[in-house]
């Protein structure tokens, strides 16, 4: 997956009166790991949402492997996203009424694929939760919940993984282990990783570290 973002500009507000960022240009090569840092409120989450076609923008373009994401209609964009993108969020977003295996299976279900017990079991092994598929989220720790979220984000073999402060809710020791897992698993799957983080040690592991500001993104 090659991601190209050219001169992206984003405002909020009915008349575009709340500027977020402008002139954001970056590329992510297949299998590359890019970390993004920046002050709170500068638009890091907004930028990730634009990369996934979950949010709109006012100027510029986003392309994946030459596909112009802004030109897709809602349905085509959703289908593309389900196939090609995985997400990990700070707040885990594991669904409480589904067990662990059902949570991990969700991306496959959304793609209309049969539930693949073997693949789900292999993902749970890979994230250090062997045999825990029948557990309910309320019985898991924060670190375990984020491992479930990592398994879910990769189970459908996306080409791009977007992670938005994925260890922000974890204690430092757990955060380091979960970050190691996230980076290692993404590499193993050959996916590109765009990671928003406040963790200097995680950012230092990236192939490239970029700083987002209101008027651009730079090394
Ligand atoms: N849906 C929204 N409507 C209006 N303003 C928003 C919305 N989402 C985010 N913002 C504003 O856009 C700016 C960037 O937000 P965000 O992308 O969450 O920043 P970050 O992730 O870097 O902390 C902030 O000023 C925030 O208040
Ligand atoms: Mg954010």
């Amino acid at each position: 997956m090659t991601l190209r973002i050219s001169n992206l500009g984003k405002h909020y507000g009915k008349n575009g009166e709340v500027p977020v960022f402008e002139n954001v240009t970056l590329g992510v090569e297949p299998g590359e790991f890019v970390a993004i840092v920046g002050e709170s409120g500068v638009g890091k989450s907004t930028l990730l949402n634009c990369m996934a076609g979950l949010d709109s923008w006012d100027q510029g373009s986003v392309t994946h492997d030459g596909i112009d994401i802004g030109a897709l209609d809602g349905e085509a964009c959703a289908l593309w996203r389900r196939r090609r993108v995985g997400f990990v969020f700070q707040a885990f977003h594991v669904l409480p009424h589904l067990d662990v295996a059902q949570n991990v299976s969700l991306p496959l279900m959304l793609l209309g694929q049969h539930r693949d017990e073997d693949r789900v079991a292999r993902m749970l092994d890979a994230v250090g939760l062997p045999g825990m598929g029948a557990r309910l989220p309320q019985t898991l720790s924060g670190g375990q919940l984020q491992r479930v979220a990592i398994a879910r984000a990769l189970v459908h073999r996306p080409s791009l993984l977007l992670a938005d402060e994925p260890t922000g809710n974890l204690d430092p020791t757990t955060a380091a282990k979960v970050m190691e897992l996230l980076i290692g698993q993404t590499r193993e799957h050959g996916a590109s990783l765009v990671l928003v983080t406040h963790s200097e040690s995680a950012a230092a592991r990236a192939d490239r570290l970029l700083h987002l500001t209101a008027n651009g993104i730079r090394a």
Side-chain angles (χ1 to χ4, degrees):
M1 194 283 323
T2 304
L3 168 64
R4 296 260 174 268
I5 294 187
S6 302
N7 285 312
L8 207 69
K10 170 73 181 171
H11 296 72
Y12 279 114
K14 262 201 291 272
N15 306 307
E17 66 273 22
V18 187
V20 183
F21 51 70
E22 57 184 10
N23 291 322
V24 171
T25 295
L26 72 121
V28 182
E29 304 304 322
E32 195 181 16
F33 169 17
V34 173
I36 296 177
V37 297
E39 284 173 23
S40 186
V42 79
K44 303 179 298 296
S45 296
T46 302
L47 179 59
L48 285 196
N49 286 338
C50 290
M51 286 180 185
L54 281 168
D55 205 342
S56 60
W57 49 89
D58 308 302
Q59 293 115 38
S61 63
V62 176
T63 68
H64 288 253
D65 288 334
I67 300 169
D68 183 353
I69 300 308
L72 299 177
D73 67 25
E75 205 174 317
C77 189
L79 187 60
W80 163 82
R81 184 166 52 244
R82 285 175 191 168
R83 286 199 181 119
R84 306 302 300 272
V85 185
F87 276 99
V88 181
F89 302 96
Q90 179 170 350
F92 317 137
H93 293 307
V94 171
L95 299 183
H97 53 284
L98 300 181
D99 70 24
V100 164
Q102 289 167 332
N103 266 285
V104 173
S105 300
L106 270 176
L108 302 175
M109 301 297 195
L110 286 170
L111 286 168
Q113 298 179 11
H114 290 294
R115 184 160 161 184
D116 186 335
E117 306 279 351
D118 283 348
R119 201 197 294 191
V120 170
R122 279 200 304 278
M123 284 309 302
L124 289 177
D125 288 349
V127 298
L129 299 173
M132 291 179 71
R135 293 274 292 267
L136 280 173
Q138 67 203 20
T139 71
L140 302 183
S141 68
Q144 289 173 322
L145 289 173
Q146 200 60 310
R147 287 165 190 268
V148 173
I150 291 167
R152 181 183 57 190
L154 290 168
V155 71
H156 56 305
R157 302 186 181 116
S159 49
L160 174 64
L161 186 67
L162 300 175
D164 194 357
E165 304 194 34
T167 58
N169 280 0
L170 302 175
D171 67 80
T173 310
T174 306
K177 287 182 188 155
V178 166
M179 190 63 81
E180 188 66 38
L181 182 73
L182 176 73
I183 295 168
Q185 280 294 304
T186 308
R187 284 242 150 90
E188 205 149 294
H189 281 74
S192 306
L193 172 61
V194 179
L195 170 71
V196 169
T197 185
H198 290 293
S199 160
E200 286 178 19
S201 59
R205 309 249 331 254
D207 299 316
R208 272 185 309 135
L209 172 59
L210 299 175
H211 297 75
L212 180 64
T213 68
N215 46 31
I217 192 165
R218 52 192 61 86

